[in-house]
Amino acid sequence: MLITKLQVTVSFVAASLGWRWVYGVFAIISAVCLVIGFFAIPETRFNRPIANLDGRIAITDAYGETRILTYAEATLILPESELQVSHDTSAGPVGKKSFLAELSPFSGISKGGWTNFPRTLLEMAKGLSYPAMLWAALLNIALRLTYATKLTAAPWDWNAKDTSLINIATLPASIIALITGRYNDKIVSYLARRNNNVREPEFHLITMIPALFAVTGGITLYGAAGAYPHHIGVAGYIAGFFFFQYGFVCLLVITTVYVVESYPAKAGPLIVIVCCSRNLIAYGASNGFIPLVEEDNYFFGYGMLAVIQAGIAVFGIPVYLYGKALRRRAGGGIDHWLHLDS
């Protein structure tokens, strides 16, 4: 929500202070958030012993993610010799850390901490070789939609300082995407019940379908409205922007959950790939079609991006059909994520 409000102010800052201060303002806010986060966010990265919770094994991995698994599932992640300590209760319960201790910016060096960084980079490199991961990364293209030149031109004739108001559409898009997420969870649970109460990561791909249509349709409408402003109007232009933003937020959330459930033992490094790769790909894609837009091929440029997005989405069909086999070959670990009846 905060980012949305800041995006709305971009053109006002540029008009008042110059375009360089747009980056200056964001840099200042980022620095303040970094300082606050460093001292105010509780530290969650510290060594936790393996615990036995009513027959289930609680494991916290090297990236601070805690999962509660059956003993059989836990053996897919750790050797049985290490899991035996989960039955040892002689050390007693681990005491709760005080508030000040949680806010401490340094909690010592965690076990294996020096090797986590290179191992994370290695896991990220290996993750790019997983077909499902590569598809998920390509699917989340954060396009840089160019709107200032169109909004200030005839027939819309917006004032330059008002152009970033189009980003207001991002706020309802994000809220609706949040609401949609609750219903997506219900759909996945329903599919799991029909699958003998076993939840598969590929069920999340089905919930992507509306978002894929929203992204592809939004890009197409956005390009058409920009190319034919007298026929479609500014409302169609903003609607295209809204649908793209809604679909993008949905896809980002769904692919993140899909990656976590597909490769639980490697979730940390692989989430970095999903989050970072979309910006790297978007940078190349956006700068590639800007010349087309400048040559007044607005609809062709965005239409081509819509076709590319749709083409990437089609590859989700084999990912859905052969996802379990792909995960096994990639060492994803657990074939299914959760037994609903346990």
Side-chain angles (χ1 to χ4, degrees), residues 132-151:
M133 266 303 308
L134 187 59
W135 173 79
L138 291 173
L139 192 65
N140 286 279
I141 300 179
L143 298 178
R144 186 174 62 188
L145 301 181
T146 56
Y147 52 78
T149 54
K150 281 296 176 182
L151 290 175

Side-chain angles (χ1 to χ4, degrees), residues 32 67 75 89 133 152 188 194 199 226 330:
V32 171
R67 284 166 288 148
T75 57
T89 59
M133 266 303 308
T152 55
V188 172
R194 296 191 57 184
R199 174 167 166 157

Side-chain angles (χ1 to χ4, degrees), residues 305-316:
L305 285 174
V307 171
I308 294 173
Q309 182 76 53
I312 296 172
V314 169
F315 281 96

